[in-house]
Amino acid sequence: MDDDQEKLLNQASIVVKATGNQMQKSFDSNNTSDVIKYAVDMISELKSSSLSPKTYYELYMQIFDQLSRLESYFMQEYRRNGKIAELFERVQHVPTILPRLYLLITVGSVYINTNEISAKDMLGDLIEMTKGVQHPIRGLFLRYYLNKMSKDKLPDSLSESGKGEVNDSIDFLLNNFSEMCRLWVRMQHTGGVKDKTKREKERNDLKVTVGENIVRLSNLEGVSLEIYSSTVLPKSLEVILNSKDAIAQQYLMDCMIQAFPDRYHLYNLNSLLETTTQLQPSVEIKGIFINLLNRISDFAEGIDLEIVHSVDIFSLIKTHVDKLLSETSATGEISKFIQLFVSFIRLSLKCYPENTDNVNSILNSAVELIEKEDSGKHLDAESLNNIVKLLSYPLDSLGLAVLNMKSFPKLMSYLQFTARKKVALRIVKSVISLKIYLTSIEVVKTMLEYISSLLIDIADTIESDAYEFEEEQEFTARLVHMTISENPSELFAMLGMFKDKFYAGGILRQVYTFPSLIFAYIKFSSQLTENTDVKLKDVTKILYGLVQKISKVNPELGYKLSLQCAHCINFYDIEKELEEEAYEYAADALVIFQDSLSDLEVKYNAIKIISANLAHLTCFSSENIITLNLNCAQFASKMLRSNEQIEGNLIAARLFWSKSLQDEEKVMEYLTRAFKHAKNEGEKSRNSFGLLQVINEFLYLGMSGVREIQEDTVNGILDIVKKIINDDTRDYWKTTTNFIRNKQREGKLEGITY
């Protein structure tokens, strides 16, 4: 607010405050004559022609607050003497028109509340009286005040026993709307040409006063879909079109879209779209279309729309969008048009969720627009962002159907690397979340082309941050498991396509993608028979190359994958022809343990994993399993830390009592070593944990058939434990003795005492 306007507002505010105080004193003394006198003085400040619209609005709000107090006084006056008609007659004699009309509206509001006159009659009289003020700003705010005061008095049903009905309210609001719109538009034509921009801003400051009428109409519960379609919509659109003003049409069309229920828009879509074609040339029609389509899309979410079966909504919208494209230059407006296509495609997918032709048509239109106006070379950031959205909605709804849309990859090609990768990741996530399977070589080929930005480095590659890269590659890796076929040769070829792309992706990606591919090949092995062209030996060769690659950069993962491959042969090599390959995998796991693992905790966990896996492999000859077990046992028993030496020897003992190898001599050798380490540890630190581990292994192996385990030996260890048991191991001791007790109830371990 400039200094002059602030000064004028301050001067007027002083008068409003002073007359308001005098009016309050008159309230207290019930001096109605003085009340009216001071109210007139106060309202007369609104006769000013020097205030800008924004300043006038601020002054109006101050006076509105005072008029609210005045209304309360008039109601109290009525309750005191019951002469509301006389009061209404009295204010009609106020000589100045603007204060007179404000007072008539205020008294009229009370008059309606007394039920001595119908809202229909009173509001009809007041709307006619307000026509006496034709000054744009004064008339606009007078009608705005009328609108505010009538808010809770409008009849809102089909019949209200003589008080009026909803159609009377509609007539009142439409009449007020028309008059206010006319006055609002007239503001544009006051002053010189050079003040045009200033007047446009001033009008925008006051637009809510006019839009209030539309809000009031939308709040009438009696406005059914039928009444809206037959009366409210056509008459409101008539007012908007008759304004012949771009600012009014832009704002009021958006008001109509925002205020009324989305269902009403859907059933009157043709009328709304037809109206947009008749608006002023400078109206931003695309924005109106976008708002309308977005509202209907939100409404259509998850609803069975009967109208979709009776009206071809898609064709209706397509006709108007095409017309807009043909009649409007897209130069500098590509982003807005693409945003319009986004809204259109979203609505189409909601109304026709399985219709790919509709989606394809919209994507084709987008490509044609870009090729015609830009060739995709100079698209701004907003346009590119809208293209991402345009591609994302079909992905989320149609999945792999987009692979058959020729315009889809073309639109992707316009995007910069980061955006292309974003869409590619959406494709992958869509396939996974919707559980869409890749069932043919052609589908896999197309898919890999679409998501190439995730698979390999290309000319414009931009490195992702660590978190994003991990997410991208983990989802890409999961894509392999969506590949299925009942034909082993075809599935083998499809996996091979992934393998070739993953190899080309480099080691940073392979850490994420190779393990998934390895497990996919292992799963594929279950489909192989003696009649299939692909043999298990072919798969193991591929697996070996993949595991070797991983082991070099991630040995901890490498040894685990080696063991998985050994299990694959163990399970699927029915003819026992691939023992050599299985041995190589198992031996590699031990080599990795010895040469590539350095962290003590990692090594400790690794030897436990390796030994547990070796114990379940049955595909080896006696010579090979002994060699593997001896090497593993040697590593296990020579762990550096004392507690690990105890468990390492127990692990070694169990290795020699497995499905494929039972050597009691070796079992007892390692059990004895474990006992000696545990006894020394117990005597040195008064800790019985190691001895309890030894006892439990003795019990387990003894019950598993190792005959050389003597009851006296176990009892001797138990006696040692009882002497050094402490709070840290008391629960472990209790669990062990409970186990012995339960087995003795079953007739086992009868010679054990504790």
Side-chain angles (χ1 to χ4, degrees):
M1 185 185 300
D2 59 38
D3 291 341
D4 288 343
Q5 287 296 306
E6 186 171 0
K7 182 178 179 181
L8 290 170
L9 179 60
N10 287 338
Q11 290 172 351
S13 298
I14 291 171
V15 175
V16 170
K17 185 175 181 180
T19 53
N21 289 336
Q22 292 297 326
M23 195 168 64
Q24 181 63 53
K25 292 178 181 178
S26 301
F27 290 166
D28 297 338
S29 61
N30 294 322
N31 190 335
T32 304
S33 296
D34 283 351
V35 167
I36 295 173
K37 174 182 177 297
Y38 291 122
V40 169
D41 292 342
M42 176 184 65
I43 298 168
S44 293
E45 291 300 311
L46 291 173
K47 293 166 59 179
S48 172
S49 299
S50 303
L51 299 177
S52 69
K54 186 175 181 181
T55 308
Y56 194 94
Y57 199 163
E58 292 188 34
L59 178 61
Y60 164 83
M61 290 306 299
Q62 293 179 25
I63 293 174
F64 179 81
D65 290 340
Q66 296 290 345
L67 290 175
S68 297
R69 293 168 55 212
L70 179 61
E71 182 187 24
S72 297
Y73 170 76
F74 286 154
M75 178 56 76
Q76 291 173 8
E77 184 70 5
Y78 164 74
R79 288 170 181 161
R80 189 169 62 85
N81 59 33
K83 299 178 179 179
I84 190 65
E86 183 178 310
L87 182 59
F88 189 74
E89 180 70 22
R90 190 171 180 178
V91 296
Q92 288 191 58
H93 291 89
V94 171
T96 312
I97 186 170
L98 191 64
R100 179 170 71 243
L101 290 173
Y102 271 98
L103 290 172
L104 283 170
I105 293 170
T106 307
V107 178
S109 174
V110 176
Y111 209 154
I112 295 172
N113 283 337
T114 66
N115 293 320
E116 292 188 19
I117 191 171
S118 70
K120 172 186 175 182
D121 293 339
M122 176 54 72
L123 293 176
D125 288 343
L126 291 175
I127 197 71
E128 286 299 315
M129 292 178 187
T130 57
K131 292 180 180 179
V133 178
Q134 290 298 312
H135 184 280
I137 295 180
R138 295 174 203 162
L140 190 66
F141 275 92
L142 177 64
R143 288 160 176 77
Y144 184 50
Y145 182 65
L146 175 59
N147 207 340
K148 286 288 187 184
M149 297 302 289
S150 64
K151 178 180 179 181
D152 57 350
K153 301 170 183 67
L154 296 172
D156 196 10
S157 67
L158 295 180
S159 176
E160 289 204 5
S161 305
K163 296 179 181 180
E165 58 183 25
V166 71
N167 287 328
D168 299 317
S169 297
I170 293 170
D171 290 342
F172 166 77
L173 289 169
L174 286 172
N175 191 337
N176 204 39
F177 176 40
S178 177
E179 287 296 311
M180 290 183 73
C181 187
R182 183 178 58 80
L183 292 169
W184 185 43
V185 172
R186 274 181 54 196
M187 289 175 58
Q188 188 67 39
H189 306 293
T190 59
V193 176
K194 64 179 181 179
D195 295 329
K196 177 183 177 184
T197 302
K198 178 183 177 183
R199 288 196 303 273
E200 288 178 352
K201 183 181 182 305
E202 290 175 343
R203 287 186 60 205
N204 271 309
D205 289 339
L206 302 182
K207 62 185 179 182
V208 294
T209 62
V210 184
E212 183 83 11
N213 293 283
I214 295 175
V215 174
R216 290 280 174 267
L217 282 165
S218 68
N219 288 337
L220 292 173
E221 294 183 4
V223 176
S224 63
L225 174 59
E226 181 181 356
I227 292 175
Y228 173 79
S229 303
S230 62
T231 305
V232 175
L233 179 62
K235 290 188 177 180
S236 297
L237 294 179
E238 182 181 357
V239 171
I240 295 171
L241 290 175
N242 287 342
S243 72
K244 294 183 170 55
D245 177 81
I247 294 176
Q249 291 178 347
Q250 185 81 58
Y251 171 69
L252 295 174
M253 283 299 294
D254 281 335
C255 271
M256 293 293 295
I257 293 169
Q258 296 299 325
F260 286 98
D262 304 323
R263 175 169 170 266
Y264 288 15
H265 299 327
L266 186 58
Y267 279 84
N268 291 276
L269 190 56
N270 190 46
S271 296
L272 288 166
L273 294 173
E274 283 291 339
T275 300
T276 60
T277 64
Q278 303 172 52
L279 300 176
Q280 294 297 300
S282 58
V283 173
E284 175 33 36
I285 299 175
K286 295 178 291 296
I288 295 173
F289 269 41
I290 291 167
N291 290 340
L292 178 60
L293 299 186
N294 284 342
R295 287 295 299 266
I296 297 176
S297 295
D298 291 339
F299 168 71
E301 184 84 47
I303 295 176
D304 184 15
L305 301 174
E306 295 181 8
I307 190 173
V308 171
H309 305 297
S310 57
V311 178
D312 189 350
I313 293 174
F314 177 84
S315 296
L316 183 62
I317 298 172
K318 184 74 164 56
T319 299
H320 286 85
V321 170
D322 288 346
K323 185 176 181 181
L324 184 62
L325 279 168
S326 64
E327 295 179 352
T328 309
S329 171
T331 305
E333 292 286 324
I334 288 182
S335 174
K336 205 70 176 179
F337 271 109
I338 299 175
Q339 188 181 351
L340 173 56
F341 289 136
V342 171
S343 299
F344 189 12
I345 209 166
R346 183 167 169 251
L347 177 59
S348 178
L349 287 166
K350 295 289 175 60
C351 294
Y352 310 96
E354 298 179 1
N355 192 319
T356 57
D357 291 339
N358 289 350
V359 173
N360 206 24
S361 175
I362 297 170
L363 296 181
N364 289 340
S365 295
V367 170
E368 289 173 8
L369 171 71
I370 296 170
E371 289 293 319
K372 176 183 176 183
E373 300 292 338
D374 184 86
S375 299
K377 297 177 181 177
H378 306 98
L379 294 172
D380 59 23
E382 188 176 0
S383 297
L384 294 173
N385 188 49
N386 284 327
I387 289 177
V388 172
K389 293 179 182 178
L390 188 62
L391 297 174
S392 297
Y393 282 119
L395 272 173
D396 293 341
S397 299
L398 302 175
L400 290 187
V402 302
L403 301 185
N404 299 320
M405 299 178 184
K406 294 181 179 179
S407 292
F408 198 96
K410 183 65 177 176
L411 285 167
M412 280 189 73
S413 71
Y414 298 142
L415 301 175
Q416 296 173 345
F417 175 79
T418 302
R420 285 204 311 279
K421 187 173 64 172
K422 181 178 179 181
V423 174
L425 186 58
R426 287 290 291 270
I427 293 175
V428 174
K429 287 183 175 180
S430 177
V431 169
I432 292 169
S433 64
L434 296 175
K435 292 183 172 56
I436 302 170
Y437 292 99
L438 314 181
T439 57
S440 72
I441 291 174
E442 190 61 35
V443 169
V444 172
K445 179 182 177 182
T446 306
M447 171 64 70
L448 293 173
E449 290 174 357
Y450 272 53
I451 66 169
S452 60
S453 55
L454 295 171
L455 300 171
I456 57 175
D457 290 332
I458 46 187
D460 61 344
T461 294
I462 298 174
E463 187 175 342
S464 305
D465 64 40
Y467 174 79
E468 289 178 346
F469 183 78
E470 182 177 355
E471 182 192 30
E472 292 161 5
Q473 296 308 309
E474 285 180 348
F475 272 102
T476 302
R478 291 171 63 185
L479 194 62
V480 180
H481 298 293
M482 305 309 294
T483 306
I484 61 172
S485 175
E486 293 183 0
N487 183 330
S489 296
E490 183 178 42
L491 181 54
F492 187 65
M494 292 154 70
L495 292 175
M497 295 167 73
F498 274 102
K499 173 175 67 70
D500 293 342
K501 281 292 184 182
F502 288 171
Y503 263 108
I507 192 62
L508 292 178
R509 293 184 178 88
Q510 289 163 6
V511 172
Y512 298 98
T513 56
F514 273 12
S516 183
L517 186 60
I518 287 169
F519 282 104
Y521 272 115
I522 290 174
K523 181 181 178 182
F524 165 71
S525 300
S526 65
Q527 293 184 233
L528 301 180
T529 66
E530 60 181 15
N531 298 320
T532 56
D533 294 333
V534 183
K535 302 302 180 184
L536 185 59
K537 190 177 183 67
D538 301 323
V539 176
T540 59
K541 287 181 180 179
I542 294 173
L543 289 174
Y544 193 75
L546 296 171
V547 172
Q548 288 292 303
K549 191 84 170 177
I550 288 294
S551 298
K552 291 177 182 178
V553 294
N554 191 337
E556 188 176 352
L557 178 60
Y559 83 79
K560 294 175 183 176
L561 293 173
S562 291
L563 293 171
Q564 289 296 325
C565 293
H567 276 292
C568 175
I569 295 173
N570 188 72
F571 193 79
Y572 296 117
D573 182 24
I574 308 300
E575 301 300 324
K576 304 296 181 183
E577 297 175 346
L578 301 177
E579 180 188 355
E580 183 179 339
E581 285 81 355
Y583 182 85
E584 194 166 7
Y585 282 125
D588 280 350
L590 289 169
V591 170
I592 292 171
F593 171 86
Q594 183 179 17
D595 297 342
S596 302
L597 302 181
S598 56
D599 183 271
L600 293 180
E601 192 65 31
V602 171
K603 294 192 74 163
Y604 178 53
N605 291 327
I607 202 64
K608 290 194 288 185
I609 292 171
I610 294 171
S611 63
N613 278 273
L614 289 179
H616 288 84
L617 293 173
T618 59
C619 58
F620 300 122
S621 65
S622 175
E623 181 182 352
N624 281 338
I625 193 61
I626 289 173
T627 301
L628 290 170
N629 282 5
L630 281 172
N631 286 330
C632 185
Q634 183 181 11
F635 293 144
S637 63
K638 292 184 178 180
M639 301 301 289
L640 294 179
R641 293 179 291 198
S642 179
N643 65 308
E644 293 174 356
Q645 289 178 353
I646 298 169
E647 187 167 3
N649 280 285
L650 295 177
I651 288 171
R654 191 172 291 199
L655 268 173
F656 285 93
W657 197 260
S658 61
K659 291 182 180 179
S660 56
L661 181 64
Q662 294 188 342
D663 186 335
E664 290 198 32
E665 183 179 344
K666 283 292 182 183
V667 170
M668 294 308 300
E669 176 186 337
Y670 286 110
L671 283 177
T672 301
R673 289 183 186 179
F675 169 64
K676 288 179 179 179
H677 283 298
K679 183 180 179 184
N680 290 337
E681 180 69 18
E683 292 173 348
K684 182 173 64 176
S685 61
R686 308 296 294 175
N687 188 336
S688 59
F689 185 82
L691 285 166
L692 285 166
Q693 286 182 295
V694 172
I695 290 172
N696 279 275
E697 197 66 33
F698 266 93
L699 293 173
Y700 168 76
L701 291 172
M703 293 178 64
S704 298
V706 181
R707 293 186 298 274
E708 291 193 24
I709 293 177
Q710 302 297 317
E711 293 173 348
D712 290 346
T713 304
V714 177
N715 288 332
I717 301 173
L718 286 168
D719 288 339
I720 296 173
V721 172
K722 281 188 285 187
K723 295 175 182 178
I724 58 175
I725 198 76
N726 56 33
D727 290 340
D728 292 337
T729 55
R730 199 168 304 282
D731 287 343
Y732 195 179
W733 167 258
K734 188 179 295 185
T735 301
T736 302
T737 55
N738 284 340
F739 172 78
I740 295 171
R741 186 179 300 108
N742 290 334
K743 290 300 177 183
Q744 288 177 342
R745 288 170 181 164
E746 298 173 9
K748 302 173 183 178
L749 304 178
E750 292 179 345
I752 304 299
T753 58
Y754 52 90

